[in-house]
Amino acid sequence: MLSWCINSLKPCNVLVADALARTAKYRLAQITAWPFRPFISPNCSGHSLLSRLSTLGGYPNDVLTGSYNTGFSTKRNPAGSNSSNNDNGSNGFVGGACSRVRKTKLVCTIGPATCKKETLFKLADAGMNVARLNMSHGTHESHKAVIDLVKEYNKTGRGCVATMLDTKGPEVRSGDLAEPMQLERRDTLTFTITEGANGKGGRVSVNYDGFIDDVSIGDELLVDGGIMSFVVKGKTDTDVQVEVVDGGVLQGRRHLNIRGKSANLPAITDKDWLDLKFGVEAGVDYYALSFVQDEYVIREVKKWLAEQGSKIKVLAKIESADSVKALDEILDAVDGAMVARGDLGAELPLEAVPFWQNRVVQGCRHCG
């Protein structure tokens, strides 16, 4: 898992060796403060697993972890009335020859390259257990077409595939640009909450007014999880002045992170609620909630689902500095967990990511 994190950023032997050394020191320092929870012995009713999300069809990849025969951490019988469940009580993670003989489950993000019937059926026949719908892309109509294809496949008796709706979640993004900006090391740039700044004059807008309050001088600002980086040099009531550390081409509508900090945004946006309602109507099996910061949002969504009479299970994406602080409470409230390594690596030191991946795995095993 460590190699995945490192290679996705800068595949350099020197960096790998340095990160390995720092990771070892980090884990030795942390293991006393955060002791690993005990393993649960593998058995037919509760087994641990680690599944790397397939990038087939592709959008961002995550690591999925959990226990129980659902493929996620849960303390309840997952069988429900969702249309993708089969007749023998399976919830879609067991079914088909491949999934009956292996513990690791395969989750495939369905995008433009894999949303056609022939391709999706080939994925399912090859062992796909879960079709992930990334709500940051596509429309309700396009996602409904995928859900219908999954239901159609399940009716063939060739296997049973579950559907997972992955919310977009709250995000801080830069605004539209008149044209891409080529930035070199030590160049200066201003991010502003003033609308209309499109890159001209070195000014770029940000979609979040609280950005000014969240940022401090000396903070490291990352673009798309570290593709580019800046250091904050100054700020006013509306502007944040930065200097380029790692240059590149800045495009419009890029995801912005402050290293070690989480944005003070609502856990579930208006768009997320619309997507969750769509998921109930369409009959998905799982929600994956993005940028979960505490257990309260999990309980809020579960209460809302109970009011809808829905048995959809809720997964928490562990991808922020706040989420690791409240990890135990989150795992106690949720049905499963995902480690979003890209965003987590943007908010935490790189060498800390493998440690927290292991913490999530052990926590799910304990809850299983």
Side-chain angles (χ1 to χ4, degrees), residues 168-287:
K168 181 179 180 180
E171 292 182 322
V172 179
R173 287 190 177 270
S174 60
D176 291 318
L177 298 178
E179 58 184 8
M181 302 176 66
Q182 178 66 52
L183 299 173
E184 305 293 340
R185 182 175 175 82
R186 299 194 185 283
D187 284 350
T188 59
L189 186 70
T190 298
F191 289 100
T192 178
I193 59 175
T194 303
E195 295 183 7
N198 62 359
K200 293 182 178 180
R203 294 174 60 81
V204 178
S205 64
V206 177
N207 69 342
Y208 167 48
D209 289 347
F211 181 68
I212 304 296
D213 297 325
D214 289 349
V215 170
S216 301
I217 295 174
D219 281 349
E220 184 180 7
L221 184 63
L222 305 177
V223 176
D224 287 345
I227 293 177
M228 299 177 66
S229 66
F230 309 90
V231 60
V232 177
K233 291 294 187 178
K235 69 175 187 176
T236 66
D237 291 340
T238 58
D239 297 349
V240 172
Q241 293 87 33
V242 301
E243 180 180 292
V244 178
V245 176
D246 293 306
V249 178
L250 180 64
Q251 306 279 351
R253 300 188 182 185
R254 297 298 88 194
H255 187 198
L256 303 177
N257 286 94
I258 305 169
R259 175 79 76 182
K261 294 182 179 180
S262 298
N264 294 314
L265 289 167
I268 303 181
T269 66
D270 291 341
K271 171 180 167 41
D272 291 338
W273 279 117
L274 292 175
D275 291 340
L276 295 179
K277 292 175 182 176
F278 160 76
V280 171
E281 295 168 358
V284 301
D285 297 292
Y286 287 87
Y287 288 153

Side-chain angles (χ1 to χ4, degrees), residues 102-350:
R102 58 175 164 80
K103 295 179 180 179
T104 300
K105 310 307 178 186
L106 301 179
V107 183
C108 299
T109 302
I110 305 302
T114 52
C115 63
K116 298 295 188 292
K117 177 178 178 178
E118 180 182 1
T119 309
L120 190 142
F121 276 34
K122 285 182 178 179
L123 286 176
D125 286 338
M128 174 176 69
N129 301 105
V130 189
R132 173 179 175 255
L133 308 173
N134 187 351
M135 304 310 288
S136 295
H137 305 274
T139 63
H140 285 178
E141 290 73 21
S142 64
H143 291 308
K144 181 63 163 60
V146 172
I147 294 169
D148 289 342
L149 284 176
V150 171
K151 293 177 180 178
E152 182 180 342
Y153 177 84
N154 291 341
K155 290 179 181 178
T156 67
R158 289 149 65 176
C160 192
V161 177
T163 49
M164 180 173 70
L165 186 154
D166 194 333
T167 64
K168 181 179 180 180
E171 292 182 322
V172 179
R173 287 190 177 270
S174 60
D176 291 318
L177 298 178
E179 58 184 8
M181 302 176 66
Q182 178 66 52
L183 299 173
E184 305 293 340
R185 182 175 175 82
R186 299 194 185 283
D187 284 350
T188 59
L189 186 70
T190 298
F191 289 100
T192 178
I193 59 175
T194 303
E195 295 183 7
N198 62 359
K200 293 182 178 180
R203 294 174 60 81
V204 178
S205 64
V206 177
N207 69 342
Y208 167 48
D209 289 347
F211 181 68
I212 304 296
D213 297 325
D214 289 349
V215 170
S216 301
I217 295 174
D219 281 349
E220 184 180 7
L221 184 63
L222 305 177
V223 176
D224 287 345
I227 293 177
M228 299 177 66
S229 66
F230 309 90
V231 60
V232 177
K233 291 294 187 178
K235 69 175 187 176
T236 66
D237 291 340
T238 58
D239 297 349
V240 172
Q241 293 87 33
V242 301
E243 180 180 292
V244 178
V245 176
D246 293 306
V249 178
L250 180 64
Q251 306 279 351
R253 300 188 182 185
R254 297 298 88 194
H255 187 198
L256 303 177
N257 286 94
I258 305 169
R259 175 79 76 182
K261 294 182 179 180
S262 298
N264 294 314
L265 289 167
I268 303 181
T269 66
D270 291 341
K271 171 180 167 41
D272 291 338
W273 279 117
L274 292 175
D275 291 340
L276 295 179
K277 292 175 182 176
F278 160 76
V280 171
E281 295 168 358
V284 301
D285 297 292
Y286 287 87
Y287 288 153
L289 300 184
S290 297
F291 298 100
V292 170
Q293 297 183 12
D294 54 46
E295 74 275 20
Y296 301 110
V297 64
I298 304 296
R299 301 191 190 282
E300 180 183 3
V301 171
K302 285 191 169 185
K303 179 181 178 182
W304 176 80
L305 284 171
E307 293 171 353
Q308 309 303 310
S310 173
K311 296 183 179 180
I312 294 173
K313 299 302 179 183
V314 182
L315 313 178
K317 295 177 69 177
I318 308 301
E319 53 189 338
S320 70
D322 286 342
S323 65
V324 298
K325 294 175 183 176
L327 181 61
D328 289 345
E329 291 79 8
I330 291 172
L331 294 184
D332 285 341
V334 82
D335 299 302
M338 296 174 65
V339 182
R341 295 166 296 125
D343 287 299
L344 190 62
E347 295 206 7
L348 297 179
L350 179 61

